[in-house]
Amino acid sequence: MAGITPVDRWDPVHASVAYWTWFSRVSEIWWTRSAGRAAIDAASRSRFDALVQFARARSPFYRDAYEGLPARRLAPAELPVATKAALMARFDDWVTVPEVTLAAVESFLADRKQIGERLLGRFVIWKSSGSTGEPGIYVQDSDSLSTFDALMAAHLDPMRFAAQCSWPLFVHGGRAALVAATGDHFASIASWRRLCQSSPWMAAHGFSIMDPLPRLVAALNAYRPVFLASYPTMLALLAEERKAGRLKIDPVSLWSGGECLAPGTRAEIEGAFGCRVVNEYGASECMSIAFGCREGWLHVNADWVMLEPVDDDYRPTPAGEPSRTVLLTNLANRVQPIIRYDLGDSVVVKPEPCACGSPLPAIQVEGRHDDVVAMAAPDGHLVRLLPLALTTIVEEAGRVHRFQIVQTAADQLMLRLDRGDPGDRQATWRAAAGALRRYLTQQSLPNVRVGLDERSPVADRRSGKLREVVVHKKAQPMHP
Ligand SMILES: [Zn+2]
């Protein structure tokens, strides 16, 4: 089938060890959470203390950053904040396994054939995509991956999940489809993909977001998945295809991750497919930060993840108010400790308990909001393009991380690049424009013009964040 690549590599020895770690983690998560908020906070605090102690002993970066602090048990607020720039600048000192160097990791990432493989046979590596402007490289070991897989499994509620899914699984052979940026080492939907890998009864295939929508729809129709996982923008596009009758699949469960899922978008997707969307909030720095509940809130995996909403000066933001950023501590990953890390998202903590009954803290996230781009084809019909597909093309071809794509007319896209060395800028522009034109032609948009905007990328005035895809002038549907 066109556009399909297998994502399941089955290694029985590795899988059985991983399975037992996973199984014990699932039980442990279940017991902790059943015991309520006090047990969750106690688990988080003891994991935090152990992680800080480990990082001070094994990571030269943290040893230096915490130098001068007392050796006793420290409250989170006593520790300095870590930024991506500071950590990436001292990558080899940050990581606690000496063989995992930036040079080794970069040569591993440069090889596309290694996607899904492990560095030194042990470590899963991914890099951050698009949204942040600065590249980040993240390292996980099996232990940390087992924890995140277990968090996902605990959320899915195995008993209810099995009952709901057993008949369609039996009929359709349990096929799962992942529509993602499949061509590179990205984390965005890693936990979902790994859940499929740890369930040998389930077949999983990856579909690329780069494929033209009609081809993707045809491939999904042929595959008939029972589970469908993707980014919310992609699910919204597929929901419209389902409503129009072109997409004919009947999944029993949808999974959304990698970007923020707005309540309206969620309702549209659920309406079109007639099934529930599982919403996961994650980041490259921490695969699974929170899961959505039926009340529309995200519940933080607080036994394994610490989130501190803060203002510009890193002072705590009170519950009920939007924070300027949020400090993330990933309690599961010791290879590359993430402690009080400035994640950049704005969150609001729900002051009162959630009506769904979850003992986990409830938040809402103001995350990425790239616009879906609708462009007019030569015959006048609209072709919608995924922001993530456009940004991936520019990043990969232009080898650039700070840029902005602006739709200025129904058939025009302008690219904004940072000023810098004029020679580099020209080379970046030529490579990015060439790749964008090839992509547009594949999407039946050979008429779309791609131009270089003399201006540098402009951050959003309100949030201060850089939106990489901006629509200034929309294409209107043609009325006969
Ligand atoms: Zn809830």
Side-chain angles (χ1 to χ4, degrees), residues 57-105:
R58 303 281 285 274
S59 161
F61 174 89
Y62 285 104
R63 190 176 56 221
D64 295 349
Y66 300 165
E67 201 190 4
L69 294 176
R72 66 175 162 78
R73 185 171 179 244
L74 295 162
E78 291 182 272
L79 300 173
V81 170
T83 63
K84 182 195 275 181
L87 290 164
M88 282 304 296
R90 290 186 62 194
F91 185 91
D92 293 358
D93 288 341
W94 172 20
V95 176
T96 59
V97 178
E99 305 93 284
V100 181
T101 61
L102 186 60
V105 169

Short mmCIF file of all heavy atoms in Angstrom, two decimals, residues 57-105:
data_model
loop_
_atom_site.label_atom_id
_atom_site.label_comp_id
_atom_site.label_asym_id
_atom_site.label_seq_id
_atom_site.Cartn_x
_atom_site.Cartn_y
_atom_site.Cartn_z
N ALA A 57 25.12 13.56 41.58
CA ALA A 57 26.25 12.63 41.58
C ALA A 57 26.74 12.28 40.18
O ALA A 57 27.92 12.06 39.97
CB ALA A 57 25.84 11.35 42.32
N ARG A 58 25.83 12.23 39.20
CA ARG A 58 26.19 11.65 37.91
C ARG A 58 26.19 12.60 36.72
O ARG A 58 26.65 12.25 35.65
CB ARG A 58 25.24 10.48 37.61
CG ARG A 58 25.25 9.40 38.68
CD ARG A 58 26.46 8.48 38.57
NE ARG A 58 26.27 7.58 37.47
CZ ARG A 58 25.63 6.42 37.56
NH1 ARG A 58 25.12 6.02 38.71
NH2 ARG A 58 25.49 5.64 36.51
N SER A 59 25.59 13.79 36.87
CA SER A 59 25.54 14.73 35.75
C SER A 59 26.38 15.96 36.08
O SER A 59 26.02 16.75 36.95
CB SER A 59 24.09 15.15 35.47
OG SER A 59 24.05 16.33 34.70
N PRO A 60 27.54 16.14 35.40
CA PRO A 60 28.37 17.31 35.70
C PRO A 60 27.59 18.63 35.55
O PRO A 60 27.85 19.59 36.27
CB PRO A 60 29.50 17.21 34.68
CG PRO A 60 29.58 15.74 34.35
CD PRO A 60 28.17 15.24 34.43
N PHE A 61 26.63 18.66 34.62
CA PHE A 61 25.84 19.89 34.44
C PHE A 61 25.12 20.25 35.74
O PHE A 61 25.20 21.38 36.22
CB PHE A 61 24.82 19.72 33.31
CG PHE A 61 23.89 20.90 33.18
CD1 PHE A 61 24.23 21.98 32.37
CD2 PHE A 61 22.71 20.97 33.91
CE1 PHE A 61 23.38 23.08 32.28
CE2 PHE A 61 21.87 22.08 33.82
CZ PHE A 61 22.21 23.13 33.00
N TYR A 62 24.39 19.27 36.31
CA TYR A 62 23.63 19.56 37.53
C TYR A 62 24.55 19.73 38.74
O TYR A 62 24.26 20.51 39.64
CB TYR A 62 22.58 18.47 37.79
CG TYR A 62 21.40 18.60 36.84
CD1 TYR A 62 21.24 17.74 35.76
CD2 TYR A 62 20.45 19.61 37.02
CE1 TYR A 62 20.17 17.87 34.88
CE2 TYR A 62 19.37 19.75 36.15
CZ TYR A 62 19.24 18.87 35.08
OH TYR A 62 18.19 19.02 34.21
N ARG A 63 25.67 18.99 38.74
CA ARG A 63 26.61 19.16 39.84
C ARG A 63 27.06 20.62 39.91
O ARG A 63 27.05 21.24 40.97
CB ARG A 63 27.82 18.24 39.64
CG ARG A 63 28.72 18.17 40.86
CD ARG A 63 29.85 17.18 40.65
NE ARG A 63 30.61 17.51 39.46
CZ ARG A 63 31.06 16.60 38.58
NH1 ARG A 63 30.82 15.31 38.76
NH2 ARG A 63 31.75 16.97 37.53
N ASP A 64 27.37 21.20 38.75
CA ASP A 64 27.78 22.60 38.71
C ASP A 64 26.61 23.53 39.05
O ASP A 64 26.77 24.50 39.78
CB ASP A 64 28.33 22.96 37.32
CG ASP A 64 29.61 22.20 37.02
OD1 ASP A 64 30.16 21.57 37.96
OD2 ASP A 64 30.05 22.21 35.84
N ALA A 65 25.44 23.23 38.47
CA ALA A 65 24.29 24.12 38.68
C ALA A 65 23.88 24.16 40.15
O ALA A 65 23.40 25.19 40.64
CB ALA A 65 23.12 23.67 37.81
N TYR A 66 24.05 23.03 40.86
CA TYR A 66 23.60 22.97 42.26
C TYR A 66 24.76 23.16 43.25
O TYR A 66 24.62 22.96 44.45
CB TYR A 66 22.92 21.62 42.54
CG TYR A 66 21.69 21.35 41.70
CD1 TYR A 66 21.14 20.06 41.62
CD2 TYR A 66 21.04 22.36 40.99
CE1 TYR A 66 20.02 19.80 40.85
CE2 TYR A 66 19.91 22.10 40.21
CZ TYR A 66 19.41 20.82 40.13
OH TYR A 66 18.31 20.56 39.38
N GLU A 67 25.92 23.52 42.69
CA GLU A 67 27.08 23.74 43.55
C GLU A 67 26.76 24.88 44.51
O GLU A 67 26.17 25.88 44.12
CB GLU A 67 28.27 24.15 42.66
CG GLU A 67 29.59 23.92 43.32
CD GLU A 67 30.73 24.57 42.53
OE1 GLU A 67 30.45 25.24 41.51
OE2 GLU A 67 31.87 24.40 42.96
N GLY A 68 27.11 24.73 45.75
CA GLY A 68 26.83 25.80 46.71
C GLY A 68 25.51 25.59 47.43
O GLY A 68 25.22 26.23 48.43
N LEU A 69 24.64 24.69 46.91
CA LEU A 69 23.40 24.38 47.62
C LEU A 69 23.72 23.34 48.69
O LEU A 69 24.61 22.52 48.51
CB LEU A 69 22.35 23.81 46.65
CG LEU A 69 21.83 24.77 45.57
CD1 LEU A 69 20.87 24.04 44.64
CD2 LEU A 69 21.13 25.95 46.22
N PRO A 70 22.99 23.39 49.82
CA PRO A 70 23.27 22.41 50.88
C PRO A 70 23.05 20.97 50.41
O PRO A 70 22.27 20.72 49.49
CB PRO A 70 22.27 22.77 51.99
CG PRO A 70 21.31 23.74 51.40
CD PRO A 70 21.94 24.34 50.19
N ALA A 71 23.75 20.03 51.03
CA ALA A 71 23.67 18.62 50.62
C ALA A 71 22.37 17.95 51.08
O ALA A 71 22.04 16.87 50.61
CB ALA A 71 24.87 17.85 51.17
N ARG A 72 21.62 18.63 51.98
CA ARG A 72 20.38 18.03 52.50
C ARG A 72 19.32 17.92 51.40
O ARG A 72 19.50 18.39 50.29
CB ARG A 72 19.86 18.89 53.65
CG ARG A 72 19.43 20.27 53.19
CD ARG A 72 18.80 21.10 54.31
NE ARG A 72 18.81 22.52 53.92
CZ ARG A 72 17.93 23.07 53.09
NH1 ARG A 72 16.98 22.35 52.53
NH2 ARG A 72 18.01 24.35 52.79
N ARG A 73 18.19 17.33 51.78
CA ARG A 73 17.03 17.21 50.91
C ARG A 73 16.51 18.62 50.60
O ARG A 73 16.30 19.42 51.51
CB ARG A 73 16.00 16.43 51.71
CG ARG A 73 14.78 16.07 51.03
CD ARG A 73 14.01 15.10 51.96
NE ARG A 73 12.78 14.74 51.33
CZ ARG A 73 11.56 15.05 51.80
NH1 ARG A 73 11.44 15.71 52.94
NH2 ARG A 73 10.49 14.68 51.13
N LEU A 74 16.34 18.93 49.31
CA LEU A 74 15.96 20.30 48.95
C LEU A 74 14.54 20.35 48.41
O LEU A 74 14.09 19.43 47.72
CB LEU A 74 16.93 20.82 47.87
CG LEU A 74 18.38 20.97 48.31
CD1 LEU A 74 19.31 21.04 47.11
CD2 LEU A 74 18.54 22.19 49.21
N ALA A 75 13.86 21.43 48.73
CA ALA A 75 12.52 21.64 48.16
C ALA A 75 12.70 22.05 46.69
O ALA A 75 13.70 22.71 46.37
CB ALA A 75 11.79 22.72 48.93
N PRO A 76 11.77 21.68 45.79
CA PRO A 76 11.93 22.04 44.38
C PRO A 76 12.24 23.52 44.18
O PRO A 76 13.13 23.85 43.40
CB PRO A 76 10.57 21.66 43.77
CG PRO A 76 10.06 20.56 44.65
CD PRO A 76 10.57 20.85 46.02
N ALA A 77 11.57 24.40 44.91
CA ALA A 77 11.76 25.84 44.71
C ALA A 77 13.17 26.31 45.07
O ALA A 77 13.57 27.41 44.69
CB ALA A 77 10.72 26.62 45.52
N GLU A 78 13.92 25.50 45.77
CA GLU A 78 15.30 25.89 46.12
C GLU A 78 16.28 25.66 44.97
O GLU A 78 17.40 26.13 45.01
CB GLU A 78 15.78 25.08 47.34
CG GLU A 78 15.08 25.43 48.63
CD GLU A 78 15.63 24.62 49.80
OE1 GLU A 78 15.13 23.50 50.04
OE2 GLU A 78 16.58 25.10 50.45
N LEU A 79 15.83 24.89 43.96
CA LEU A 79 16.74 24.56 42.86
C LEU A 79 16.58 25.54 41.70
O LEU A 79 15.48 26.00 41.42
CB LEU A 79 16.44 23.15 42.35
CG LEU A 79 16.57 22.02 43.37
CD1 LEU A 79 16.09 20.71 42.78
CD2 LEU A 79 18.03 21.90 43.82
N PRO A 80 17.70 25.86 41.01
CA PRO A 80 17.59 26.79 39.88
C PRO A 80 16.85 26.15 38.69
O PRO A 80 16.74 24.93 38.61
CB PRO A 80 19.05 27.06 39.51
CG PRO A 80 19.81 25.89 40.03
CD PRO A 80 19.07 25.41 41.24
N VAL A 81 16.35 27.01 37.82
CA VAL A 81 15.63 26.56 36.62
C VAL A 81 16.64 26.18 35.53
O VAL A 81 17.69 26.81 35.42
CB VAL A 81 14.70 27.70 36.13
CG1 VAL A 81 14.12 27.42 34.76
CG2 VAL A 81 13.60 27.95 37.15
N ALA A 82 16.33 25.14 34.76
CA ALA A 82 17.19 24.75 33.64
C ALA A 82 16.50 25.12 32.32
O ALA A 82 15.28 24.96 32.19
CB ALA A 82 17.45 23.25 33.68
N THR A 83 17.26 25.65 31.39
CA THR A 83 16.67 25.98 30.07
C THR A 83 17.26 25.04 29.03
O THR A 83 18.34 24.49 29.20
CB THR A 83 17.00 27.43 29.66
OG1 THR A 83 18.41 27.53 29.52
CG2 THR A 83 16.49 28.43 30.68
N LYS A 84 16.51 24.92 27.92
CA LYS A 84 16.96 24.04 26.84
C LYS A 84 18.32 24.50 26.31
O LYS A 84 19.22 23.69 26.09
CB LYS A 84 15.93 24.03 25.72
CG LYS A 84 16.33 23.09 24.59
CD LYS A 84 15.53 23.33 23.34
CE LYS A 84 14.22 22.58 23.38
NZ LYS A 84 13.46 22.79 22.14
N ALA A 85 18.48 25.82 26.15
CA ALA A 85 19.73 26.35 25.59
C ALA A 85 20.92 25.97 26.49
O ALA A 85 21.96 25.51 26.00
CB ALA A 85 19.65 27.86 25.43
N ALA A 86 20.75 26.14 27.82
CA ALA A 86 21.84 25.83 28.74
C ALA A 86 22.16 24.34 28.74
O ALA A 86 23.33 23.94 28.76
CB ALA A 86 21.48 26.30 30.15
N LEU A 87 21.13 23.52 28.71
CA LEU A 87 21.35 22.07 28.73
C LEU A 87 21.99 21.58 27.43
O LEU A 87 22.94 20.81 27.45
CB LEU A 87 20.02 21.34 28.97
CG LEU A 87 19.43 21.50 30.38
CD1 LEU A 87 17.97 21.09 30.39
CD2 LEU A 87 20.22 20.69 31.40
N MET A 88 21.47 22.06 26.28
CA MET A 88 22.01 21.61 25.00
C MET A 88 23.45 22.06 24.82
O MET A 88 24.25 21.37 24.21
CB MET A 88 21.13 22.09 23.84
CG MET A 88 19.84 21.31 23.62
SD MET A 88 20.07 19.52 23.38
CE MET A 88 20.99 19.49 21.84
N ALA A 89 23.79 23.24 25.38
CA ALA A 89 25.16 23.76 25.25
C ALA A 89 26.16 22.85 25.97
O ALA A 89 27.34 22.85 25.65
CB ALA A 89 25.24 25.18 25.81
N ARG A 90 25.67 22.09 26.96
CA ARG A 90 26.58 21.18 27.69
C ARG A 90 26.03 19.75 27.65
O ARG A 90 25.97 19.06 28.67
CB ARG A 90 26.75 21.66 29.13
CG ARG A 90 27.56 22.96 29.25
CD ARG A 90 27.81 23.30 30.70
NE ARG A 90 28.61 22.26 31.37
CZ ARG A 90 28.74 22.18 32.71
NH1 ARG A 90 28.14 23.06 33.49
NH2 ARG A 90 29.46 21.22 33.26
N PHE A 91 25.63 19.32 26.47
CA PHE A 91 24.95 18.03 26.30
C PHE A 91 25.72 16.88 26.95
O PHE A 91 25.16 16.08 27.70
CB PHE A 91 24.74 17.76 24.81
CG PHE A 91 23.94 16.52 24.52
CD1 PHE A 91 22.56 16.59 24.40
CD2 PHE A 91 24.56 15.28 24.39
CE1 PHE A 91 21.81 15.45 24.15
CE2 PHE A 91 23.81 14.14 24.14
CZ PHE A 91 22.44 14.23 24.01
N ASP A 92 27.03 16.79 26.67
CA ASP A 92 27.82 15.66 27.18
C ASP A 92 27.89 15.65 28.71
O ASP A 92 28.00 14.59 29.33
CB ASP A 92 29.25 15.68 26.60
CG ASP A 92 29.24 15.42 25.09
OD1 ASP A 92 28.15 15.20 24.51
OD2 ASP A 92 30.33 15.43 24.48
N ASP A 93 27.81 16.85 29.32
CA ASP A 93 27.83 16.95 30.79
C ASP A 93 26.44 16.73 31.38
O ASP A 93 26.30 16.42 32.56
CB ASP A 93 28.29 18.36 31.21
CG ASP A 93 29.77 18.56 30.96
OD1 ASP A 93 30.49 17.55 30.81
OD2 ASP A 93 30.20 19.73 30.90
N TRP A 94 25.43 16.94 30.59
CA TRP A 94 24.05 16.80 31.05
C TRP A 94 23.68 15.32 31.19
O TRP A 94 23.14 14.88 32.21
CB TRP A 94 23.15 17.52 30.02
CG TRP A 94 21.68 17.36 30.15
CD1 TRP A 94 20.96 16.98 31.26
CD2 TRP A 94 20.73 17.63 29.12
NE1 TRP A 94 19.62 16.99 30.95
CE2 TRP A 94 19.45 17.38 29.66
CE3 TRP A 94 20.83 18.07 27.80
CZ2 TRP A 94 18.28 17.55 28.91
CZ3 TRP A 94 19.66 18.24 27.05
CH2 TRP A 94 18.41 17.98 27.61
N VAL A 95 24.03 14.54 30.16
CA VAL A 95 23.69 13.12 30.13
C VAL A 95 24.52 12.35 31.15
O VAL A 95 25.69 12.64 31.36
CB VAL A 95 23.91 12.58 28.70
CG1 VAL A 95 23.65 11.08 28.61
CG2 VAL A 95 23.01 13.32 27.71
N THR A 96 23.89 11.35 31.81
CA THR A 96 24.57 10.65 32.91
C THR A 96 25.28 9.36 32.46
O THR A 96 25.86 8.66 33.27
CB THR A 96 23.57 10.30 34.03
OG1 THR A 96 22.55 9.47 33.47
CG2 THR A 96 22.93 11.54 34.63
N VAL A 97 25.20 9.05 31.16
CA VAL A 97 25.92 7.88 30.63
C VAL A 97 27.03 8.42 29.72
O VAL A 97 26.73 9.01 28.68
CB VAL A 97 24.98 6.96 29.83
CG1 VAL A 97 25.73 5.78 29.23
CG2 VAL A 97 23.84 6.48 30.71
N PRO A 98 28.32 8.26 30.10
CA PRO A 98 29.41 8.91 29.37
C PRO A 98 29.48 8.54 27.87
O PRO A 98 29.87 9.36 27.06
CB PRO A 98 30.67 8.45 30.10
CG PRO A 98 30.22 7.98 31.44
CD PRO A 98 28.80 7.52 31.30
N GLU A 99 29.06 7.31 27.51
CA GLU A 99 29.14 6.91 26.09
C GLU A 99 28.15 7.68 25.23
O GLU A 99 28.29 7.74 24.01
CB GLU A 99 28.85 5.42 25.89
CG GLU A 99 29.69 4.47 26.70
CD GLU A 99 29.01 4.11 28.03
OE1 GLU A 99 29.03 4.98 28.94
OE2 GLU A 99 28.48 3.00 28.15
N VAL A 100 27.11 8.23 25.83
CA VAL A 100 26.11 8.96 25.05
C VAL A 100 26.57 10.41 24.90
O VAL A 100 26.26 11.28 25.72
CB VAL A 100 24.71 8.88 25.71
CG1 VAL A 100 23.67 9.62 24.88
CG2 VAL A 100 24.29 7.42 25.88
N THR A 101 27.33 10.66 23.83
CA THR A 101 27.85 12.01 23.60
C THR A 101 27.05 12.67 22.49
O THR A 101 26.38 11.98 21.71
CB THR A 101 29.32 11.96 23.15
OG1 THR A 101 29.36 11.21 21.93
CG2 THR A 101 30.19 11.31 24.19
N LEU A 102 27.15 13.99 22.39
CA LEU A 102 26.45 14.70 21.34
C LEU A 102 26.91 14.22 19.97
O LEU A 102 26.10 14.03 19.06
CB LEU A 102 26.66 16.21 21.48
CG LEU A 102 25.86 17.09 20.52
CD1 LEU A 102 24.35 16.89 20.70
CD2 LEU A 102 26.19 18.57 20.71
N ALA A 103 28.22 13.99 19.83
CA ALA A 103 28.75 13.53 18.54
C ALA A 103 28.14 12.18 18.16
O ALA A 103 27.69 11.99 17.02
CB ALA A 103 30.27 13.43 18.62
N ALA A 104 28.07 11.25 19.12
CA ALA A 104 27.51 9.92 18.84
C ALA A 104 26.04 10.03 18.48
O ALA A 104 25.56 9.39 17.53
CB ALA A 104 27.69 9.02 20.05
N VAL A 105 25.31 10.85 19.23
CA VAL A 105 23.87 10.99 19.01
C VAL A 105 23.60 11.66 17.66
O VAL A 105 22.71 11.25 16.92
CB VAL A 105 23.25 11.80 20.17
CG1 VAL A 105 21.83 12.18 19.87
CG2 VAL A 105 23.31 10.99 21.46
#
